[in-house]
Amino acid sequence: RPPAVPMAAAEPGRPQRGLQAIAAATALALVVAVGTALGGDGAALEDASAGVTPTGNTTTVQVDAVHMRFDPGTITVPAGDRLVLEVTNKDTMVHDLVLATGQSTGRLAPGATATLDVGVVGRDIDGWCSIVGHRQQGMVLDIVAEGGGSVGGSGGSGAAAPPVDLMAFPDKDFRARDARLAPAPAATTHRYTFTVSEAPGEVAPGAEQIVWTFVGPEGADTGAGKVGGPTLRGKLGDVFEVTLRNDGTMAHSIDFHAGMVSPDPNMRDINPGESLVYRFRAEHTGIWLYHCATMPMPVHLAAGMFGAVVIDPPDLAPVDAEYLFTQSEWYLGPDGGPIDADKVAAALPDLVMFNGYANQYVYRPLRAKVGDRVRMWVLDAGPNEPLSFHVIGTQFDTVYAEGTYLLRRDNPLRGGSQALALAAAQGGFVEMTFLEPGTYTFLNHRMYDGDRGAMGYIVVE
């Protein structure tokens, strides 16, 4: 098994580099902006004239943002003309247009318009929507100067992803997410309010990123800057009513796999400042994923917008301890910045983790006693990596996956199981009894995912 990490030791805390959030009201303003000598971040604009002789003419083009595209997607302008773009957001969600030369419309609410004065154009210019993931969905604009040159520019920040040392310790005051699963409430109707948050948070020691998430009810072990929303639990036939309020800077939504409802009204995108009520009845038992369903869906999910709903099988036996682990992935962007949407699209995660922080139960192990029967619920939120859940040093005598028992403790063959195999958006639970004291490692037995942070310890005394 992996070498034990000393539990008493702790490294001095790294300084936190938080980002100030941009107010949603600013993001939603109906903007009519004219390009100036400074970009949206205060940086000087690049000159796109490339030394061409000005013609004295002005080319004005109407550009519409709609359906994750700019229309037109390519603009041809005679070299030497001054170019003015009239940009209107005709989509149902927030967008912007950023040019490689530095001009930006800022965030545009649906129906809003901005004017960009690009200046004299003598070379090609790239443009894109800067909202995370929208560029990867094809929301790009090409400005072509007839008889001119070209301007590069990826639109990235140029900052490298933060180094991650999974042998390092988090700050001494680090608190792991509570993995204990509370019993289902006695009520048959469950009402909650979820608030969308986009805030800085840590996903591994020293790795701070902007986390998008669902902040749940007061007292839940979730919050702004924490990957993953609250866990809900109920029984067959229970009704769940969740009010979703978008306090973010872009469109978001929610999709509960535990419900059987029309996607059209319930899973629709809502813009900053909007809300919706999502109501469903638990028709089947199991552990179910919920997640943001806004395009690009893999980015929203990977950035932290997911959670679990547990609907108990009616014959669920009592145990000494019950835990829940949701596996997810993180694709590191610049230090303090958002997730890297290109890595998400290429399925190249930097971290794979349980409950939103790499190796957190290595740093803060779980505890049990010899003879304890422990149930571990497991959900693979994805968006891409599979999960082979294994506990080193013991065997599972009960395995439940995707709504049915694969193995029961009283099976006549005395069969046991070594791993629970789950694809993305699948879940189940396993049960085991510890026969000897020791430090037991649980991990994704897809080994390089375990080595990337999908690992924890149970100390049995």
Side-chain angles (χ1 to χ4, degrees):
R1 66 180 173 89
V5 174
M7 287 172 271
E11 288 187 340
R14 290 182 172 87
Q16 297 295 312
R17 296 181 295 277
L19 298 179
Q20 281 193 324
I22 299 173
T26 302
L28 277 176
L30 298 181
V31 181
V32 179
V34 178
T36 66
L38 296 179
D41 59 359
L45 301 179
E46 293 183 22
D47 181 10
S49 66
V52 72
T53 301
T55 64
N57 299 325
T58 297
T59 297
T60 301
V61 179
Q62 173 67 45
V63 178
D64 295 333
V66 61
H67 303 313
M68 286 292 180
R69 293 292 185 273
F70 290 112
D71 182 19
T74 300
I75 295 169
T76 301
V77 57
D81 274 17
R82 172 186 171 219
L83 176 63
V84 176
L85 302 180
E86 298 285 349
V87 184
T88 300
N89 184 3
K90 293 187 176 180
D91 210 344
T92 58
M93 65 176 69
V94 175
H95 293 295
D96 65 14
L97 173 60
V98 173
L99 301 182
T101 45
Q103 291 95 341
S104 172
T105 62
R107 296 288 170 89
L108 296 176
T113 295
T115 301
L116 291 185
D117 189 341
V118 184
V120 173
V121 176
R123 51 185 178 175
D124 299 349
I125 305 170
D126 295 332
W128 59 88
C129 179
S130 72
I131 292 177
V132 178
H134 288 200
R135 187 178 188 181
Q136 287 76 12
Q137 288 281 304
M139 204 163 185
V140 295
L141 176 69
D142 296 322
I143 298 173
V144 178
E146 285 186 314
S150 64
V151 160
S154 66
S157 68
V164 177
D165 180 4
L166 292 179
M167 296 302 292
F169 280 83
D171 293 342
K172 64 180 184 300
D173 59 351
F174 171 76
R175 186 172 68 89
R177 180 162 176 170
D178 191 351
R180 292 174 298 179
L181 180 61
T188 57
T189 299
H190 312 278
R191 293 184 175 87
Y192 303 97
T193 297
F194 285 6
T195 303
V196 170
S197 169
E198 302 163 14
E202 198 174 62
V203 295
E208 189 164 298
Q209 301 275 271
I210 298 297
V211 174
W212 306 348
T213 196
F214 300 106
V215 178
E218 185 177 354
D221 191 23
T222 58
K226 293 186 177 182
V227 175
T231 297
L232 307 184
R233 192 174 192 180
K235 301 173 291 298
L236 193 64
D238 284 3
V239 172
F240 292 79
E241 185 176 285
V242 178
T243 299
L244 177 65
R245 187 173 69 238
N246 187 355
D247 286 354
T249 65
M250 65 192 79
H252 292 290
S253 60
I254 196 165
D255 170 9
F256 283 95
H257 289 196
M260 299 178 69
V261 298
S262 169
D264 298 339
N266 293 288
M267 304 174 200
R268 69 184 186 275
D269 296 330
I270 58 172
N271 285 304
E274 296 179 347
S275 62
L276 61 78
V277 176
Y278 193 125
R279 183 181 175 89
F280 66 91
R281 182 178 183 272
E283 304 289 351
H284 298 97
T285 62
I287 178 170
W288 305 90
L289 177 67
Y290 68 83
H291 61 91
C292 183
T294 298
M295 291 172 49
M297 198 183 306
V299 173
H300 284 246
L301 196 158
M305 303 196 74
F306 60 82
V309 179
V310 175
I311 305 300
D312 290 344
D315 58 348
L316 200 60
V319 290
D320 295 297
E322 198 168 15
Y323 297 101
L324 185 143
F325 304 100
T326 300
Q327 178 181 283
S328 64
E329 304 136 35
W330 195 272
Y331 302 78
L332 289 167
D335 191 16
I339 201 164
D340 188 319
D342 287 327
K343 291 181 183 177
V344 177
L348 295 172
D350 297 282
L351 301 171
V352 182
M353 48 201 185
F354 293 130
N355 293 347
Y357 193 99
N359 279 352
Q360 63 179 313
Y361 304 111
V362 171
Y363 309 127
R364 302 291 185 266
L366 307 176
R367 303 280 173 173
K369 294 181 179 179
V370 171
D372 280 355
R373 171 163 288 274
V374 176
R375 177 181 297 130
M376 293 182 166
W377 290 85
V378 187
L379 176 67
D380 185 0
N384 298 314
E385 296 293 286
L387 170 58
S388 176
F389 188 77
H390 173 69
V391 180
I392 297 174
T394 189
Q395 297 168 350
F396 309 143
D397 62 18
T398 303
V399 179
Y400 175 96
E402 288 294 283
T404 191
Y405 284 93
L406 305 182
L407 184 69
R408 289 182 182 264
R409 72 175 86 167
D410 56 355
N411 73 89
L413 298 179
R414 292 184 57 82
S417 173
Q418 58 200 309
L420 172 60
L422 300 171
Q426 290 188 323
F429 68 76
V430 293
E431 293 179 11
M432 71 218 78
T433 301
F434 297 101
L435 302 183
E436 299 179 0
T439 300
Y440 294 75
T441 300
F442 62 91
L443 77 165
N444 186 342
H445 213 284
R446 193 170 185 251
M447 288 299 190
Y448 59 83
D449 284 338
D451 287 345
R452 287 188 284 189
M455 183 182 296
Y457 295 158
I458 307 171
V459 177
V460 178
E461 299 170 336

